[in-house]
């Protein structure tokens, strides 16, 4: 079987949710200040990013194939979320969206430096891999058997499932995750996973993750999602103002954090964001912490 080489750090099935009716998306190259129409196949990938040597010294794309398998299991749930008209998301759908968010985080180049540090700090045993007999965990350290490049890179997957590893952590994340619609087309940047940096002692910080061109998955245990929903129902005008501000701030932060590419289904709107960001720089407002601003808007939705 021919080995793959175009390894997407944003899955193609995920990018499709941000495309226009023709299945293409407008991409802005920040380095060359250039707009182009692309299909999901040709964006957000690196050549041979997931090609590694295994324990036998064989080089291959095993990790990429594993990602492809996981994507095939997540994809139907993402489609359910995008096409849902009931407003009542199934438990399994929400669970898979949360997993997609963390999986996207740890396979993304923006987190490579963090991963390299954690890879050296934590063993596969620390991250939950172990052997059990009759329910009892064997006192065997597996890290020494996981020294190949492929095995070490698999820690990205182990990091992605940490939110699901312990019941208390999972219940907090699941209970405080919800969807916020967008009043403008969601931008897709190099790393769409926006994570708060408010409290360095928190293992799982608040995050915002666009799931399609018109909705975002939000996790925050700093606000009560049921109170948020009730507020939006009872204060329609104020809720519309919040959603518009939240949407715009998210897109500006996404643009700011992207190292090279930003994409959107609506070229006209993308050009508007580019102009708005350029004006921030021109007016010397680029030092504003746009990421912190996003979460400030979220946490103060009712003020």
């Amino acid at each position: 079987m021919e080995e793959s080489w175009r390894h997407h750090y944003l899955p193609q099935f995920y990018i499709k949710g941000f495309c226009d009716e023709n299945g293409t998306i407008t991409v802005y190259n920040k380095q060359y200040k250039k707009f182009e129409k692309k299909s999901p196949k040709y964006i957000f990938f690196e050549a041979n990013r997931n090609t590694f040597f295994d324990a036998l010294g064989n080089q291959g794309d095993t990790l990429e194939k594993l990602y492809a398998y996981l994507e095939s299991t997540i994809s139907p749930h993402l489609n359910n979320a995008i096409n849902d008209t009931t407003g009542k998301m199934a438990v399994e759908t929400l669970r898979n969206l949360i997993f997609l968010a963390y999986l996207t985080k740890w396979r993304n180049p923006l987190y490579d430096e963090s991963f390299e540090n954690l890879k050296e700090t934590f063993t596969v045993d620390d991250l939950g891999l172990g052997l059990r007999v009759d329910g009892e965990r064997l006192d065997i350290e597996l890290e020494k058997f996981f020294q190949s490049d492929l095995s070490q890179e698999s820690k990205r997957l182990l990091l992605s499932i940490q939110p699901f590893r312990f019941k208390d952590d999972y219940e907090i994340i699941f209970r405080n995750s919800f969807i916020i619609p967008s009043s403008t087309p969601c931008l897709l940047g190099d790393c769409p996973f926006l994570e708060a940096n408010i409290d360095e002692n928190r293992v799982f910080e608040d995050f915002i993750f666009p799931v399609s061109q018109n909705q975002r998955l939000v996790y925050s245990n700093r606000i009560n999602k049921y109170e948020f929903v009730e507020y939006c129902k009872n204060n329609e005008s104020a809720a519309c103002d919040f959603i518009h501000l939240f949407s715009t701030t998210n897109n500006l932060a996404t643009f700011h954090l992207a190292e090279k590419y930003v994409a959107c289904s609506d070229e006209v709107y993308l050009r508007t964001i580019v102009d708005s960001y350029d004006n921030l720089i021109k007016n010397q407002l680029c030092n504003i912490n746009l990421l912190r601003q996003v979460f400030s808007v979220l946490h103060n939705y009712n003020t």
Side-chain angles (χ1 to χ4, degrees):
M1 181 181 296
E2 184 178 353
E3 297 288 326
S4 64
W5 64 270
R6 189 183 280 114
H7 297 168
H8 289 77
Y9 49 86
L10 298 188
Q12 292 186 66
F13 81 89
Y14 172 65
I15 301 172
K16 288 177 182 178
F18 298 83
C19 290
D20 58 26
E21 63 276 6
N22 297 317
T24 60
I25 190 168
T26 301
V27 180
Y28 178 70
N29 187 314
K30 291 178 67 176
Q31 296 177 1
Y32 296 104
K33 300 185 182 301
K34 181 180 179 182
F35 292 88
E36 290 183 287
K37 282 281 189 181
K38 297 274 191 178
S39 67
K41 180 179 180 179
Y42 298 106
I43 53 175
F44 300 122
F45 72 89
E46 288 184 0
N48 295 309
R49 177 171 172 80
N50 298 316
T51 299
F52 297 101
F53 287 97
D54 62 22
L56 298 177
N58 300 315
Q59 189 179 49
D61 63 350
T62 301
L63 186 60
E64 179 68 12
K65 289 183 172 67
L66 182 54
Y67 281 133
Y69 168 74
L70 293 173
E71 290 167 12
S72 70
T73 65
I74 298 171
S75 179
H77 298 286
L78 179 63
N79 289 334
N80 288 341
I82 293 174
N83 298 320
D84 177 64
T85 58
T86 67
K88 297 179 180 179
M89 185 176 294
V91 169
E92 198 61 28
T93 298
L94 180 55
R95 183 181 294 127
N96 274 269
L97 292 185
I98 294 170
F99 179 46
L100 175 61
Y102 281 106
L103 186 64
T104 301
K105 170 186 174 178
W106 287 114
R107 69 191 289 189
N108 196 277
L110 186 65
Y111 281 89
D112 281 352
E113 184 177 350
S114 296
F115 173 70
E116 289 300 322
N117 293 332
L118 291 173
K119 183 175 70 174
E120 298 301 321
T121 303
F122 295 105
T123 67
V124 294
D125 308 88
D126 296 329
L127 296 174
L129 198 63
L131 299 175
R132 290 180 179 272
V133 175
D134 296 330
E136 294 293 326
R137 182 163 179 159
L138 299 181
D139 187 19
I140 299 176
E141 293 186 4
L142 296 180
E143 179 71 12
K144 60 185 178 183
F145 301 108
F146 282 75
Q147 294 301 304
S148 69
D149 292 343
L150 174 60
S151 297
Q152 287 296 303
E153 279 295 314
S154 69
K155 288 181 180 178
R156 291 183 188 270
L157 297 174
L158 295 177
L159 285 167
S160 301
I161 63 175
Q162 292 308 298
F164 305 88
R165 183 179 170 195
F166 297 109
K167 182 179 179 180
D168 289 346
D169 290 335
Y170 168 70
E171 287 183 346
I172 290 172
I173 294 172
F174 186 86
R175 185 171 63 245
N176 294 288
S177 294
F178 55 103
I179 294 291
I180 294 182
S182 181
S183 62
T184 57
C186 294
L187 262 61
L188 194 58
D190 290 332
C191 184
F193 187 90
L194 303 185
E195 190 171 30
N197 53 7
I198 300 170
D199 185 352
E200 62 181 17
N201 294 317
R202 288 199 180 196
V203 177
F204 303 111
E205 257 290 10
D206 292 6
F207 74 76
I208 302 165
F209 179 72
V211 296
S212 71
Q213 60 182 285
N214 54 24
Q215 53 187 340
R216 293 180 174 90
L217 173 67
V218 172
Y219 160 66
S220 176
N221 67 353
R222 292 184 174 89
I223 63 174
N224 184 303
K225 75 175 181 182
Y226 300 105
E227 292 178 359
F228 171 81
V229 171
E230 196 64 24
Y231 173 84
C232 291
K233 286 181 179 179
N234 297 330
N235 301 273
E236 186 174 342
S237 178
C240 287
D241 291 341
F242 158 76
I243 289 175
H244 183 70
L245 178 61
F246 182 69
S247 302
T248 303
T249 310
N250 262 276
N251 283 335
L252 285 170
T254 297
F255 187 91
H256 176 70
L257 292 172
E259 292 188 355
K260 188 173 182 180
Y261 295 117
V262 184
C264 184
S265 61
D266 187 331
E267 180 177 342
V268 174
Y269 179 71
L270 179 56
R271 289 180 179 274
T272 300
I273 289 294
V274 173
D275 291 341
S276 297
Y277 186 79
D278 287 345
N279 285 331
L280 285 178
I281 296 178
K282 187 183 302 182
N283 294 314
Q284 298 183 334
L285 296 174
C286 55
N287 290 328
I288 294 175
N289 190 322
L290 289 171
L291 183 62
R292 185 175 290 272
Q293 188 70 20
V294 168
F295 288 97
S296 176
V297 170
L298 174 64
H299 299 152
N300 297 282
Y301 69 87
N302 56 356
T303 58

